[in-house]
Amino acid sequence: MTQHIRHSAYFCLMLLVALLANAVRIQFLDAGSYDDNRANRRSQIARYHQPRGDIVVDGAPVTGSRDSGEQLRYERTYTDGPLYAPVTGFASQVYGTTLLEHVKDAVLSGTDPALKPFPVMNGFTRARSRGGDVVTTIDAAAQRAAYEGLDGRKGAVAAIEPATGRVLALVSSPSYDPGALSGNAAATARSWARLNADPDKPMLNRAVRQTYPPGSTFKVVTAAAALDAGVVTDLDRPTHSPDPYPLPGTRTTLMNEGEGCGDAPLREAFEWSCNTVFAKLGVDVGVRRMAATARAFGFNDTRQRIPFAVAPSTFDTSMDRAQLALSSIGQYNTRATPLQMAMVAAAVANRGQVRSPYLVERTTTNEGATVATAGSRPVRAAMRPETAERMKELMEDVVTEGTGTNAAIPGAIVGGKTGTAQHGLGNAGVPYAWFVSWAQNEDERQPKVAVAVVVEDGSAERGDITGGGVAAPIARSVMETVLNSKD
């Protein structure tokens, strides 16, 4: 009898071990396949069972969560959604996440292990922490100044702090309300269809995901390359540049919008944006050195993140001399995002040093404890410090005496460069209006802000599109706002 009891006990123990082994297999080894099964809604229900963490601007959240009372309980809400859409992106129960909502989803949704006080234990229980917060570098007043300056016109604004790389404003227009995509009702699908069908592409982040021919704003790069290479040694010496300029190896001649560009010194050519002078300078510098300088400013960088991906700005590294001439005035295949051109202005303002731009200052728990910080940012030299000082002179002259007078701010030192970029088949499209700039208060030692503005206003008359007339006032408004802000 005892033997039978013992055998039964062994058998029950074996069953228990098998049951535990199967539970372990399901819980740990096969968990991924169950999680990924389309029929399993547990993870989705858990994801929306609690409020999402917030994205914070100037100490105030610009996001929130609404209790819908449905199975997918909490929906994302946005304060001033169109204003901050190029920063936040959207978090949708149907269409996923974009921009900061995407790259910081683990923190915001509460799945980041760093949010858990006991990560090992939570790993066994698979418990979800309360969503953490993402604190941005955005200056709320500068963001609004940029948004209101564009006033619904197609275009974008990027502003950064030269000494640190902090992104102070990131605006794209026209914009959209991310809250329209949050839920899973029929209205959400209608909003998605409408936004994707809109020819103005309101969901396109033009500040970081759209590249444009930079036009004459690229002459900042060309001038820096010429000074660094010793092609120009005196800002006021004639450059021996013919007007018109015959493109090397072709029968085509390059013209200027105004007069007086023949043999113009670099200072005058920069003030009045002489195409012929800068086309010849680019050819004299050569494709290798021009490409190296462009790369030092950030062009051809396919890995840039702020933390979401930025479309690479491009400068060809293999072209003939005629193409190089056009590339050196921001045409041909040269393309740039507004963020990239803000980096160009910031490099001049920061003694030739380029700081990698960043948008997130820190992430925190729901209770405010710091989880991670931005830390020090990588820096590289775009030009020699003495070249940067001469470039500052040139950009100041543009604002005080040249094509950028609309950017002048009383009581401040402002440097800028206008641009009117041709595009389209045979350059038949309405030109894009550009302005890149930096500014500092007269009593400060270094510039406080660098800005790039592009306006692609298809409703304007061709002759009315100029960087100085259209884009410079927007840049001035953003710079003035930052200069007047309290640190």
Side-chain angles (χ1 to χ4, degrees):
M1 185 70 179
T2 304
Q3 185 177 9
H4 292 300
I5 295 174
R6 185 182 302 113
H7 289 164
S8 297
Y10 287 154
F11 181 69
C12 290
L13 181 61
M14 290 173 60
L15 290 177
L16 181 60
V17 170
L19 183 64
L20 290 173
N22 188 56
V24 170
R25 178 182 63 82
I26 293 173
Q27 185 73 18
F28 295 99
L29 300 180
D30 296 342
S33 62
Y34 287 112
D35 285 342
D36 296 337
N37 192 307
R38 296 182 63 181
N40 181 15
R41 286 172 55 91
R42 283 180 175 272
S43 61
Q44 194 176 18
I45 292 170
R47 177 182 178 85
Y48 299 108
H49 187 67
Q50 65 180 16
R52 190 169 172 84
D54 285 319
I55 296 172
V56 178
V57 173
D58 269 356
V62 297
T63 58
S65 296
R66 182 183 72 86
D67 189 347
S68 67
E70 304 292 334
Q71 189 177 52
L72 303 184
R73 183 171 173 181
Y74 285 96
E75 297 177 0
R76 195 57 148 165
T77 62
Y78 295 88
T79 302
D80 290 322
L83 174 63
Y84 292 109
V87 175
T88 64
F90 63 76
S92 170
Q93 294 180 351
V94 179
Y95 303 109
T97 55
T98 60
L99 303 181
L100 281 187
E101 292 277 30
H102 179 70
V103 297
K104 295 300 180 183
D105 181 68
V107 171
L108 295 166
S109 65
T111 60
D112 190 327
L115 296 173
K116 299 175 173 66
F118 304 104
V120 174
M121 183 178 296
N122 285 128
F124 280 105
T125 64
R126 307 182 76 187
R128 183 183 294 260
S129 299
R130 294 187 64 182
D133 294 339
V134 175
V135 180
T136 71
T137 59
I138 293 293
D139 181 311
Q143 183 82 359
R144 188 169 294 279
Y147 185 77
E148 292 178 352
L150 284 170
D151 195 26
R153 290 173 293 184
K154 283 186 192 177
V157 179
I160 60 182
E161 186 176 68
T164 63
R166 295 173 67 244
V167 178
L168 303 178
L170 204 66
V171 169
S172 179
S173 178
S175 189
Y176 72 105
D177 184 3
L181 303 176
S182 293
N184 53 37
T188 304
R190 289 193 297 269
S191 296
W192 178 257
R194 173 180 54 79
L195 289 169
N196 280 284
D198 191 328
D200 288 337
K201 299 181 178 179
M203 289 196 293
L204 172 63
N205 191 338
R206 289 171 163 86
V208 296
R209 296 282 173 83
Q210 179 68 35
T211 60
Y212 303 86
S216 292
T217 59
F218 191 79
K219 291 171 183 174
V220 175
V221 178
T222 303
L227 288 166
D228 264 359
V231 171
V232 174
T233 57
D234 187 335
L235 300 181
D236 299 301
R237 182 179 297 172
T239 53
H240 306 295
S241 305
D243 182 13
Y245 173 64
L247 295 177
T250 74
R251 296 181 180 179
T252 304
T253 56
L254 185 65
M255 310 288 287
N256 295 293
E257 292 290 334
E259 298 179 353
C261 286
D263 296 331
L266 183 58
R267 189 186 303 277
E268 292 181 16
F270 197 85
E271 282 181 29
W272 300 105
S273 208
C274 296
N275 286 334
T276 52
V277 172
F278 284 91
K280 182 177 182 297
L281 284 178
V283 172
D284 291 344
V285 171
V287 66
R288 184 179 62 82
R289 282 182 169 175
M290 279 294 301
T293 300
R295 185 168 53 252
F297 274 101
F299 284 79
N300 298 333
D301 183 357
T302 60
R303 298 173 297 175
Q304 189 177 95
R305 303 288 187 273
I306 62 168
F308 47 77
V310 176
S313 299
T314 56
F315 184 85
D316 263 4
T317 59
S318 178
M319 50 187 158
D320 62 33
R321 284 159 41 103
Q323 293 164 343
L324 175 59
L326 295 176
S327 296
S328 299
I329 60 171
Q331 297 292 161
Y332 183 53
N333 285 341
T334 305
R335 307 279 297 188
T337 61
L339 180 65
Q340 173 59 62
M341 294 314 296
M343 291 168 62
V344 168
V348 173
N350 195 37
R351 291 184 54 78
Q353 301 291 308
V354 179
R355 287 280 183 184
S356 297
Y358 68 100
L359 186 57
V360 174
E361 199 74 77
R362 64 185 181 277
T363 55
T364 72
T365 66
N366 179 263
E367 296 177 347
T370 297
V371 172
T373 62
S376 60
R377 306 299 294 174
V379 61
R380 64 177 177 271
M383 69 193 99
R384 296 197 307 260
E386 54 269 30
T387 295
E389 287 303 311
R390 295 162 101 182
M391 290 305 306
K392 284 187 74 174
E393 280 185 49
L394 295 180
M395 293 184 76
E396 286 180 50
D397 289 345
V398 169
V399 174
T400 57
E401 303 175 21
T403 57
T405 54
N406 282 336
I409 300 172
I413 302 170
V414 180
K417 183 70 190 77
T418 56
T420 305
Q422 308 292 335
H423 70 100
L425 186 62
N427 290 335
V430 177
Y432 299 135
W434 276 95
F435 193 73
V436 301
S437 56
W438 51 264
Q440 68 186 88
N441 287 313
E442 289 180 339
D443 59 351
E444 293 177 333
R445 297 183 60 184
Q446 62 182 11
K448 196 173 181 180
V449 60
V451 181
V453 178
V454 64
V455 179
E456 45 170 308
D457 196 346
S459 64
E461 294 294 328
R462 183 182 178 96
D464 292 337
I465 291 283
T466 63
V470 175
I474 301 172
R476 180 190 63 219
S477 178
V478 174
M479 292 187 294
E480 198 167 21
T481 299
V482 174
L483 294 180
N484 290 336
S485 68
K486 295 181 180 179
D487 294 329

